[in-house]
Amino acid sequence: MGKMSTHDSIIVIVIVTMLLCGFAEAETYIVGNNGKWDSAVTDWPNGKSFKSGDVLVFNYDPNVHNVVIVSKENYNSCIDSGKILESGHDHVTLTSGTSYYICGFTGHCKTGMKMAVTAS
């Protein structure tokens, strides 16, 4: 295998720099207006610009709440069929598109403990 030309080296440096800048731009968001995943979260994403790679942190008491990552249909119907998170301090990395989250404890989703987040 031959040596890289100066041109090839510059291209590699530019690509690596672009990748590192993309990671540096990711933001971490604590979910909820009071820093807690609770019944007042439905409107919390409004006015925020989420990007793929951003991280949502869900803080809650695992004895009374959880986070269920659900489909749009299950979000609309408050059906807790999906990936269940229950540590009380969960980190979720966003991908592009809309992600849906509900609390799977009985009645919590129907009283507003759910949110949809769209990342570019």
Side-chain angles (χ1 to χ4, degrees):
M1 189 164 175
K3 291 185 176 182
M4 287 178 39
S5 70
T6 302
H7 180 264
D8 292 339
S9 296
I10 291 171
I11 290 174
V12 168
I13 291 170
V14 168
I15 290 171
V16 169
T17 302
M18 287 171 44
L19 289 172
L20 291 175
C21 287
F23 289 119
E25 291 177 14
E27 294 195 38
T28 299
Y29 293 89
I30 307 298
V31 173
N33 294 322
N34 59 1
K36 297 282 186 186
W37 168 243
D38 60 21
S39 61
V41 296
T42 302
D43 294 330
W44 175 80
N46 295 350
K48 296 175 179 65
S49 297
F50 299 101
K51 301 176 302 301
S52 179
D54 286 349
V55 175
L56 301 179
V57 178
F58 293 85
N59 292 315
Y60 57 92
D61 179 348
N63 294 310
V64 294
H65 299 301
N66 63 13
V67 178
V68 186
I69 304 170
V70 297
S71 66
K72 181 178 182 178
E73 295 76 22
N74 288 351
Y75 173 84
N76 290 332
S77 303
C78 285
I79 297 172
D80 65 346
S81 179
K83 181 177 181 181
I84 300 173
L85 309 174
E86 48 195 3
S87 75
H89 189 69
D90 304 313
H91 291 79
V92 176
T93 302
L94 295 173
T95 57
S96 60
T98 303
S99 301
Y100 300 91
Y101 309 93
I102 69 171
C103 179
F105 278 62
T106 303
H108 291 197
C109 178
K110 292 187 188 238
T111 60
M113 197 164 176
K114 66 184 206 174
M115 69 175 196
V117 175
T118 301
S120 59

mmCIF file of all heavy atoms in Angstrom, residues 57-102:
data_model
loop_
_atom_site.group_PDB
_atom_site.id
_atom_site.type_symbol
_atom_site.label_atom_id
_atom_site.label_comp_id
_atom_site.label_asym_id
_atom_site.label_seq_id
_atom_site.Cartn_x
_atom_site.Cartn_y
_atom_site.Cartn_z
ATOM 1 N N VAL A 57 -32.542 13.246 28.871
ATOM 2 C CA VAL A 57 -32.360 12.624 30.183
ATOM 3 C C VAL A 57 -33.709 12.668 30.901
ATOM 4 O O VAL A 57 -34.285 13.735 31.094
ATOM 5 C CB VAL A 57 -31.288 13.355 31.013
ATOM 6 C CG1 VAL A 57 -31.153 12.718 32.398
ATOM 7 C CG2 VAL A 57 -29.958 13.355 30.284
ATOM 8 N N PHE A 58 -34.198 11.502 31.244
ATOM 9 C CA PHE A 58 -35.465 11.363 31.954
ATOM 10 C C PHE A 58 -35.162 11.098 33.426
ATOM 11 O O PHE A 58 -34.637 10.038 33.777
ATOM 12 C CB PHE A 58 -36.267 10.187 31.390
ATOM 13 C CG PHE A 58 -36.752 10.383 29.984
ATOM 14 C CD1 PHE A 58 -35.932 10.093 28.900
ATOM 15 C CD2 PHE A 58 -38.045 10.833 29.736
ATOM 16 C CE1 PHE A 58 -36.378 10.245 27.597
ATOM 17 C CE2 PHE A 58 -38.507 10.996 28.438
ATOM 18 C CZ PHE A 58 -37.670 10.707 27.362
ATOM 19 N N ASN A 59 -35.492 12.049 34.298
ATOM 20 C CA ASN A 59 -35.314 11.892 35.743
ATOM 21 C C ASN A 59 -36.680 11.687 36.383
ATOM 22 O O ASN A 59 -37.606 12.474 36.154
ATOM 23 C CB ASN A 59 -34.660 13.140 36.347
ATOM 24 C CG ASN A 59 -33.233 13.315 35.889
ATOM 25 O OD1 ASN A 59 -32.463 12.367 35.866
ATOM 26 N ND2 ASN A 59 -32.868 14.529 35.514
ATOM 27 N N TYR A 60 -36.817 10.632 37.205
ATOM 28 C CA TYR A 60 -38.096 10.337 37.848
ATOM 29 C C TYR A 60 -37.871 9.307 38.947
ATOM 30 O O TYR A 60 -36.829 8.673 39.021
ATOM 31 C CB TYR A 60 -39.106 9.805 36.816
ATOM 32 C CG TYR A 60 -38.602 8.577 36.079
ATOM 33 C CD1 TYR A 60 -38.877 7.293 36.548
ATOM 34 C CD2 TYR A 60 -37.806 8.697 34.937
ATOM 35 C CE1 TYR A 60 -38.391 6.172 35.892
ATOM 36 C CE2 TYR A 60 -37.317 7.584 34.279
ATOM 37 C CZ TYR A 60 -37.610 6.329 34.757
ATOM 38 O OH TYR A 60 -37.108 5.214 34.111
ATOM 39 N N ASP A 61 -38.890 9.143 39.780
ATOM 40 C CA ASP A 61 -38.876 8.113 40.813
ATOM 41 C C ASP A 61 -39.363 6.811 40.181
ATOM 42 O O ASP A 61 -40.522 6.722 39.777
ATOM 43 C CB ASP A 61 -39.809 8.521 41.957
ATOM 44 C CG ASP A 61 -39.881 7.493 43.077
ATOM 45 O OD1 ASP A 61 -39.398 6.343 42.894
ATOM 46 O OD2 ASP A 61 -40.438 7.835 44.131
ATOM 47 N N PRO A 62 -38.504 5.798 40.058
ATOM 48 C CA PRO A 62 -38.894 4.551 39.394
ATOM 49 C C PRO A 62 -39.970 3.752 40.140
ATOM 50 O O PRO A 62 -40.518 2.796 39.592
ATOM 51 C CB PRO A 62 -37.591 3.762 39.283
ATOM 52 C CG PRO A 62 -36.700 4.327 40.318
ATOM 53 C CD PRO A 62 -37.106 5.768 40.493
ATOM 54 N N ASN A 63 -40.292 4.158 41.356
ATOM 55 C CA ASN A 63 -41.380 3.504 42.082
ATOM 56 C C ASN A 63 -42.744 3.974 41.604
ATOM 57 O O ASN A 63 -43.747 3.312 41.847
ATOM 58 C CB ASN A 63 -41.254 3.749 43.589
ATOM 59 C CG ASN A 63 -40.018 3.092 44.154
ATOM 60 O OD1 ASN A 63 -39.767 1.919 43.917
ATOM 61 N ND2 ASN A 63 -39.228 3.863 44.885
ATOM 62 N N VAL A 64 -42.779 5.132 40.930
ATOM 63 C CA VAL A 64 -44.072 5.681 40.508
ATOM 64 C C VAL A 64 -44.148 6.015 39.019
ATOM 65 O O VAL A 64 -45.223 6.376 38.530
ATOM 66 C CB VAL A 64 -44.463 6.921 41.347
ATOM 67 C CG1 VAL A 64 -44.725 6.537 42.788
ATOM 68 C CG2 VAL A 64 -43.400 7.999 41.262
ATOM 69 N N HIS A 65 -43.026 5.932 38.304
ATOM 70 C CA HIS A 65 -43.014 6.236 36.872
ATOM 71 C C HIS A 65 -42.029 5.326 36.145
ATOM 72 O O HIS A 65 -41.170 4.708 36.755
ATOM 73 C CB HIS A 65 -42.598 7.692 36.594
ATOM 74 C CG HIS A 65 -43.484 8.719 37.192
ATOM 75 N ND1 HIS A 65 -44.819 8.821 36.910
ATOM 76 C CD2 HIS A 65 -43.214 9.715 38.066
ATOM 77 C CE1 HIS A 65 -45.338 9.830 37.572
ATOM 78 N NE2 HIS A 65 -44.381 10.386 38.299
ATOM 79 N N ASN A 66 -42.148 5.311 34.830
ATOM 80 C CA ASN A 66 -41.153 4.719 33.945
ATOM 81 C C ASN A 66 -41.230 5.481 32.636
ATOM 82 O O ASN A 66 -41.997 6.448 32.505
ATOM 83 C CB ASN A 66 -41.366 3.207 33.753
ATOM 84 C CG ASN A 66 -42.685 2.858 33.087
ATOM 85 O OD1 ASN A 66 -43.390 3.696 32.534
ATOM 86 N ND2 ASN A 66 -43.050 1.589 33.142
ATOM 87 N N VAL A 67 -40.439 5.102 31.676
ATOM 88 C CA VAL A 67 -40.478 5.687 30.343
ATOM 89 C C VAL A 67 -40.621 4.525 29.375
ATOM 90 O O VAL A 67 -39.863 3.563 29.447
ATOM 91 C CB VAL A 67 -39.185 6.474 30.006
ATOM 92 C CG1 VAL A 67 -39.235 7.026 28.592
ATOM 93 C CG2 VAL A 67 -38.946 7.581 31.022
ATOM 94 N N VAL A 68 -41.614 4.614 28.487
ATOM 95 C CA VAL A 68 -41.786 3.587 27.472
ATOM 96 C C VAL A 68 -41.649 4.275 26.114
ATOM 97 O O VAL A 68 -42.340 5.250 25.834
ATOM 98 C CB VAL A 68 -43.158 2.879 27.581
ATOM 99 C CG1 VAL A 68 -43.229 1.727 26.587
ATOM 100 C CG2 VAL A 68 -43.398 2.383 29.002
ATOM 101 N N ILE A 69 -40.716 3.780 25.306
ATOM 102 C CA ILE A 69 -40.531 4.295 23.949
ATOM 103 C C ILE A 69 -41.508 3.522 23.075
ATOM 104 O O ILE A 69 -41.427 2.294 22.979
ATOM 105 C CB ILE A 69 -39.082 4.104 23.474
ATOM 106 C CG1 ILE A 69 -38.121 4.772 24.457
ATOM 107 C CG2 ILE A 69 -38.913 4.651 22.058
ATOM 108 C CD1 ILE A 69 -36.656 4.452 24.217
ATOM 109 N N VAL A 70 -42.452 4.242 22.474
ATOM 110 C CA VAL A 70 -43.562 3.600 21.773
ATOM 111 C C VAL A 70 -43.677 4.089 20.329
ATOM 112 O O VAL A 70 -43.049 5.073 19.940
ATOM 113 C CB VAL A 70 -44.905 3.855 22.509
ATOM 114 C CG1 VAL A 70 -44.896 3.228 23.895
ATOM 115 C CG2 VAL A 70 -45.210 5.339 22.611
ATOM 116 N N SER A 71 -44.522 3.414 19.572
ATOM 117 C CA SER A 71 -44.844 3.842 18.205
ATOM 118 C C SER A 71 -45.839 5.001 18.269
ATOM 119 O O SER A 71 -46.434 5.279 19.327
ATOM 120 C CB SER A 71 -45.486 2.682 17.438
ATOM 121 O OG SER A 71 -46.755 2.370 18.020
ATOM 122 N N LYS A 72 -46.043 5.658 17.152
ATOM 123 C CA LYS A 72 -47.016 6.757 17.084
ATOM 124 C C LYS A 72 -48.404 6.262 17.467
ATOM 125 O O LYS A 72 -49.132 6.930 18.205
ATOM 126 C CB LYS A 72 -47.032 7.361 15.681
ATOM 127 C CG LYS A 72 -47.993 8.522 15.537
ATOM 128 C CD LYS A 72 -47.947 9.118 14.147
ATOM 129 C CE LYS A 72 -48.892 10.303 14.048
ATOM 130 N NZ LYS A 72 -48.840 10.930 12.725
ATOM 131 N N GLU A 73 -48.772 5.085 16.974
ATOM 132 C CA GLU A 73 -50.092 4.525 17.269
ATOM 133 C C GLU A 73 -50.252 4.278 18.770
ATOM 134 O O GLU A 73 -51.283 4.604 19.361
ATOM 135 C CB GLU A 73 -50.320 3.228 16.481
ATOM 136 C CG GLU A 73 -50.380 3.420 14.977
ATOM 137 C CD GLU A 73 -49.010 3.648 14.312
ATOM 138 O OE1 GLU A 73 -47.960 3.259 14.891
ATOM 139 O OE2 GLU A 73 -48.992 4.238 13.222
ATOM 140 N N ASN A 74 -49.232 3.689 19.391
ATOM 141 C CA ASN A 74 -49.305 3.422 20.828
ATOM 142 C C ASN A 74 -49.259 4.715 21.640
ATOM 143 O O ASN A 74 -49.867 4.810 22.703
ATOM 144 C CB ASN A 74 -48.200 2.462 21.267
ATOM 145 C CG ASN A 74 -48.455 1.046 20.782
ATOM 146 O OD1 ASN A 74 -49.522 0.733 20.258
ATOM 147 N ND2 ASN A 74 -47.473 0.190 20.934
ATOM 148 N N TYR A 75 -48.570 5.717 21.136
ATOM 149 C CA TYR A 75 -48.549 7.041 21.766
ATOM 150 C C TYR A 75 -49.959 7.624 21.761
ATOM 151 O O TYR A 75 -50.457 8.073 22.794
ATOM 152 C CB TYR A 75 -47.582 7.947 20.999
ATOM 153 C CG TYR A 75 -47.577 9.386 21.433
ATOM 154 C CD1 TYR A 75 -46.806 9.799 22.518
ATOM 155 C CD2 TYR A 75 -48.313 10.352 20.749
ATOM 156 C CE1 TYR A 75 -46.773 11.125 22.910
ATOM 157 C CE2 TYR A 75 -48.292 11.678 21.139
ATOM 158 C CZ TYR A 75 -47.519 12.061 22.216
ATOM 159 O OH TYR A 75 -47.501 13.374 22.613
ATOM 160 N N ASN A 76 -50.600 7.595 20.598
ATOM 161 C CA ASN A 76 -51.948 8.163 20.482
ATOM 162 C C ASN A 76 -52.959 7.416 21.341
ATOM 163 O O ASN A 76 -53.906 8.013 21.843
ATOM 164 C CB ASN A 76 -52.401 8.172 19.022
ATOM 165 C CG ASN A 76 -51.626 9.183 18.193
ATOM 166 O OD1 ASN A 76 -51.154 10.191 18.704
ATOM 167 N ND2 ASN A 76 -51.478 8.902 16.919
ATOM 168 N N SER A 77 -52.759 6.117 21.515
ATOM 169 C CA SER A 77 -53.699 5.285 22.270
ATOM 170 C C SER A 77 -53.265 5.037 23.712
ATOM 171 O O SER A 77 -53.973 4.356 24.461
ATOM 172 C CB SER A 77 -53.866 3.933 21.573
ATOM 173 O OG SER A 77 -54.305 4.106 20.255
ATOM 174 N N CYS A 78 -52.108 5.543 24.100
ATOM 175 C CA CYS A 78 -51.550 5.315 25.440
ATOM 176 C C CYS A 78 -51.395 3.827 25.745
ATOM 177 O O CYS A 78 -51.710 3.355 26.844
ATOM 178 C CB CYS A 78 -52.391 6.012 26.510
ATOM 179 S SG CYS A 78 -52.156 7.808 26.546
ATOM 180 N N ILE A 79 -50.881 3.092 24.777
ATOM 181 C CA ILE A 79 -50.609 1.668 24.970
ATOM 182 C C ILE A 79 -49.114 1.518 25.256
ATOM 183 O O ILE A 79 -48.280 1.921 24.449
ATOM 184 C CB ILE A 79 -51.018 0.846 23.736
ATOM 185 C CG1 ILE A 79 -52.532 0.961 23.526
ATOM 186 C CG2 ILE A 79 -50.592 -0.606 23.885
ATOM 187 C CD1 ILE A 79 -53.015 0.356 22.230
ATOM 188 N N ASP A 80 -48.797 0.932 26.398
ATOM 189 C CA ASP A 80 -47.395 0.870 26.842
ATOM 190 C C ASP A 80 -46.648 -0.346 26.301
ATOM 191 O O ASP A 80 -45.949 -1.035 27.016
ATOM 192 C CB ASP A 80 -47.298 0.935 28.355
ATOM 193 C CG ASP A 80 -47.913 -0.255 29.049
ATOM 194 O OD1 ASP A 80 -48.654 -1.014 28.403
ATOM 195 O OD2 ASP A 80 -47.642 -0.432 30.248
ATOM 196 N N SER A 81 -46.766 -0.552 25.005
ATOM 197 C CA SER A 81 -46.058 -1.639 24.347
ATOM 198 C C SER A 81 -44.861 -1.055 23.606
ATOM 199 O O SER A 81 -45.021 -0.379 22.590
ATOM 200 C CB SER A 81 -46.989 -2.372 23.376
ATOM 201 O OG SER A 81 -46.292 -3.398 22.722
ATOM 202 N N GLY A 82 -43.692 -1.272 24.141
ATOM 203 C CA GLY A 82 -42.470 -0.744 23.553
ATOM 204 C C GLY A 82 -41.307 -1.005 24.490
ATOM 205 O O GLY A 82 -41.411 -1.787 25.433
ATOM 206 N N LYS A 83 -40.201 -0.335 24.231
ATOM 207 C CA LYS A 83 -39.016 -0.494 25.080
ATOM 208 C C LYS A 83 -39.238 0.251 26.389
ATOM 209 O O LYS A 83 -39.505 1.454 26.393
ATOM 210 C CB LYS A 83 -37.777 0.047 24.367
ATOM 211 C CG LYS A 83 -36.518 -0.104 25.186
ATOM 212 C CD LYS A 83 -35.286 0.357 24.458
ATOM 213 C CE LYS A 83 -34.069 0.156 25.351
ATOM 214 N NZ LYS A 83 -32.851 0.598 24.708
ATOM 215 N N ILE A 84 -39.136 -0.469 27.506
ATOM 216 C CA ILE A 84 -39.387 0.110 28.823
ATOM 217 C C ILE A 84 -38.064 0.478 29.485
ATOM 218 O O ILE A 84 -37.153 -0.342 29.582
ATOM 219 C CB ILE A 84 -40.168 -0.866 29.714
ATOM 220 C CG1 ILE A 84 -41.514 -1.198 29.076
ATOM 221 C CG2 ILE A 84 -40.358 -0.285 31.118
ATOM 222 C CD1 ILE A 84 -42.281 -2.288 29.796
ATOM 223 N N LEU A 85 -37.985 1.721 29.944
ATOM 224 C CA LEU A 85 -36.836 2.210 30.709
ATOM 225 C C LEU A 85 -37.326 2.461 32.123
ATOM 226 O O LEU A 85 -38.398 3.028 32.318
ATOM 227 C CB LEU A 85 -36.299 3.509 30.090
ATOM 228 C CG LEU A 85 -36.015 3.465 28.586
ATOM 229 C CD1 LEU A 85 -35.636 4.847 28.078
ATOM 230 C CD2 LEU A 85 -34.930 2.457 28.278
ATOM 231 N N GLU A 86 -36.546 2.059 33.117
ATOM 232 C CA GLU A 86 -37.048 2.198 34.480
ATOM 233 C C GLU A 86 -35.962 2.433 35.520
ATOM 234 O O GLU A 86 -36.129 2.107 36.683
ATOM 235 C CB GLU A 86 -37.912 0.987 34.850
ATOM 236 C CG GLU A 86 -37.310 -0.347 34.533
ATOM 237 C CD GLU A 86 -38.326 -1.495 34.575
ATOM 238 O OE1 GLU A 86 -39.521 -1.263 34.796
ATOM 239 O OE2 GLU A 86 -37.877 -2.631 34.381
ATOM 240 N N SER A 87 -34.881 3.077 35.094
ATOM 241 C CA SER A 87 -33.789 3.318 36.040
ATOM 242 C C SER A 87 -34.033 4.541 36.919
ATOM 243 O O SER A 87 -33.444 4.669 37.985
ATOM 244 C CB SER A 87 -32.468 3.509 35.297
ATOM 245 O OG SER A 87 -32.415 4.784 34.682
ATOM 246 N N GLY A 88 -34.875 5.459 36.445
ATOM 247 C CA GLY A 88 -35.084 6.719 37.159
ATOM 248 C C GLY A 88 -34.166 7.818 36.672
ATOM 249 O O GLY A 88 -34.329 8.987 37.026
ATOM 250 N N HIS A 89 -33.201 7.455 35.848
ATOM 251 C CA HIS A 89 -32.256 8.434 35.278
ATOM 252 C C HIS A 89 -31.807 7.894 33.919
ATOM 253 O O HIS A 89 -30.647 7.511 33.737
ATOM 254 C CB HIS A 89 -31.072 8.637 36.219
ATOM 255 C CG HIS A 89 -30.163 9.763 35.829
ATOM 256 N ND1 HIS A 89 -30.537 11.084 35.907
ATOM 257 C CD2 HIS A 89 -28.903 9.764 35.336
ATOM 258 C CE1 HIS A 89 -29.535 11.843 35.493
ATOM 259 N NE2 HIS A 89 -28.532 11.052 35.143
ATOM 260 N N ASP A 90 -32.756 7.858 32.989
ATOM 261 C CA ASP A 90 -32.507 7.245 31.687
ATOM 262 C C ASP A 90 -31.998 8.260 30.668
ATOM 263 O O ASP A 90 -32.463 9.397 30.640
ATOM 264 C CB ASP A 90 -33.807 6.621 31.146
ATOM 265 C CG ASP A 90 -34.401 5.630 32.124
ATOM 266 O OD1 ASP A 90 -33.649 4.783 32.632
ATOM 267 O OD2 ASP A 90 -35.613 5.721 32.390
ATOM 268 N N HIS A 91 -31.055 7.819 29.840
ATOM 269 C CA HIS A 91 -30.511 8.628 28.756
ATOM 270 C C HIS A 91 -30.924 8.001 27.432
ATOM 271 O O HIS A 91 -30.697 6.812 27.222
ATOM 272 C CB HIS A 91 -28.975 8.671 28.820
ATOM 273 C CG HIS A 91 -28.453 9.428 29.992
ATOM 274 N ND1 HIS A 91 -28.402 8.900 31.263
ATOM 275 C CD2 HIS A 91 -27.971 10.684 30.087
ATOM 276 C CE1 HIS A 91 -27.894 9.799 32.089
ATOM 277 N NE2 HIS A 91 -27.635 10.890 31.406
ATOM 278 N N VAL A 92 -31.520 8.819 26.555
ATOM 279 C CA VAL A 92 -31.950 8.350 25.244
ATOM 280 C C VAL A 92 -31.320 9.249 24.193
ATOM 281 O O VAL A 92 -31.479 10.479 24.237
ATOM 282 C CB VAL A 92 -33.494 8.390 25.110
ATOM 283 C CG1 VAL A 92 -33.926 7.993 23.713
ATOM 284 C CG2 VAL A 92 -34.145 7.502 26.158
ATOM 285 N N THR A 93 -30.604 8.654 23.248
ATOM 286 C CA THR A 93 -30.000 9.408 22.152
ATOM 287 C C THR A 93 -30.990 9.457 20.997
ATOM 288 O O THR A 93 -31.481 8.423 20.541
ATOM 289 C CB THR A 93 -28.680 8.749 21.697
ATOM 290 O OG1 THR A 93 -27.796 8.688 22.821
ATOM 291 C CG2 THR A 93 -28.022 9.559 20.581
ATOM 292 N N LEU A 94 -31.283 10.671 20.550
ATOM 293 C CA LEU A 94 -32.260 10.855 19.483
ATOM 294 C C LEU A 94 -31.689 10.480 18.121
ATOM 295 O O LEU A 94 -30.500 10.687 17.860
ATOM 296 C CB LEU A 94 -32.724 12.314 19.438
ATOM 297 C CG LEU A 94 -33.494 12.819 20.649
ATOM 298 C CD1 LEU A 94 -33.729 14.322 20.538
ATOM 299 C CD2 LEU A 94 -34.807 12.070 20.794
ATOM 300 N N THR A 95 -32.546 9.945 17.284
ATOM 301 C CA THR A 95 -32.241 9.736 15.873
ATOM 302 C C THR A 95 -33.174 10.656 15.095
ATOM 303 O O THR A 95 -34.142 11.192 15.655
ATOM 304 C CB THR A 95 -32.474 8.267 15.461
ATOM 305 O OG1 THR A 95 -33.824 7.913 15.759
ATOM 306 C CG2 THR A 95 -31.525 7.334 16.205
ATOM 307 N N SER A 96 -32.908 10.863 13.817
ATOM 308 C CA SER A 96 -33.757 11.781 13.053
ATOM 309 C C SER A 96 -35.163 11.211 12.934
ATOM 310 O O SER A 96 -35.364 10.001 12.888
ATOM 311 C CB SER A 96 -33.153 12.062 11.677
ATOM 312 O OG SER A 96 -33.031 10.877 10.946
ATOM 313 N N GLY A 97 -36.127 12.106 12.928
ATOM 314 C CA GLY A 97 -37.533 11.723 12.882
ATOM 315 C C GLY A 97 -38.183 11.990 14.229
ATOM 316 O O GLY A 97 -37.618 12.655 15.099
ATOM 317 N N THR A 98 -39.382 11.461 14.401
ATOM 318 C CA THR A 98 -40.138 11.682 15.637
ATOM 319 C C THR A 98 -40.089 10.442 16.514
ATOM 320 O O THR A 98 -40.299 9.331 16.037
ATOM 321 C CB THR A 98 -41.598 12.053 15.324
ATOM 322 O OG1 THR A 98 -41.615 13.215 14.479
ATOM 323 C CG2 THR A 98 -42.376 12.363 16.596
ATOM 324 N N SER A 99 -39.792 10.661 17.784
ATOM 325 C CA SER A 99 -39.770 9.601 18.792
ATOM 326 C C SER A 99 -40.890 9.887 19.784
ATOM 327 O O SER A 99 -41.185 11.042 20.097
ATOM 328 C CB SER A 99 -38.433 9.580 19.527
ATOM 329 O OG SER A 99 -37.375 9.372 18.633
ATOM 330 N N TYR A 100 -41.483 8.809 20.296
ATOM 331 C CA TYR A 100 -42.644 8.928 21.170
ATOM 332 C C TYR A 100 -42.368 8.260 22.509
ATOM 333 O O TYR A 100 -41.862 7.137 22.562
ATOM 334 C CB TYR A 100 -43.865 8.274 20.509
ATOM 335 C CG TYR A 100 -44.211 8.907 19.183
ATOM 336 C CD1 TYR A 100 -43.678 8.410 17.996
ATOM 337 C CD2 TYR A 100 -45.050 10.011 19.124
ATOM 338 C CE1 TYR A 100 -43.991 8.993 16.780
ATOM 339 C CE2 TYR A 100 -45.364 10.605 17.907
ATOM 340 C CZ TYR A 100 -44.831 10.091 16.741
ATOM 341 O OH TYR A 100 -45.128 10.676 15.535
ATOM 342 N N TYR A 101 -42.733 8.950 23.591
ATOM 343 C CA TYR A 101 -42.475 8.478 24.947
ATOM 344 C C TYR A 101 -43.739 8.611 25.786
ATOM 345 O O TYR A 101 -44.439 9.624 25.709
ATOM 346 C CB TYR A 101 -41.355 9.310 25.594
ATOM 347 C CG TYR A 101 -40.127 9.403 24.739
ATOM 348 C CD1 TYR A 101 -39.949 10.465 23.852
ATOM 349 C CD2 TYR A 101 -39.150 8.418 24.780
ATOM 350 C CE1 TYR A 101 -38.828 10.536 23.041
ATOM 351 C CE2 TYR A 101 -38.019 8.488 23.972
ATOM 352 C CZ TYR A 101 -37.871 9.555 23.104
ATOM 353 O OH TYR A 101 -36.766 9.629 22.302
ATOM 354 N N ILE A 102 -44.020 7.604 26.592
ATOM 355 C CA ILE A 102 -45.135 7.663 27.528
ATOM 356 C C ILE A 102 -44.686 7.075 28.861
ATOM 357 O O ILE A 102 -43.690 6.357 28.925
ATOM 358 C CB ILE A 102 -46.386 6.902 27.021
ATOM 359 C CG1 ILE A 102 -46.153 5.385 26.987
ATOM 360 C CG2 ILE A 102 -46.838 7.423 25.660
ATOM 361 C CD1 ILE A 102 -47.414 4.564 26.714
#
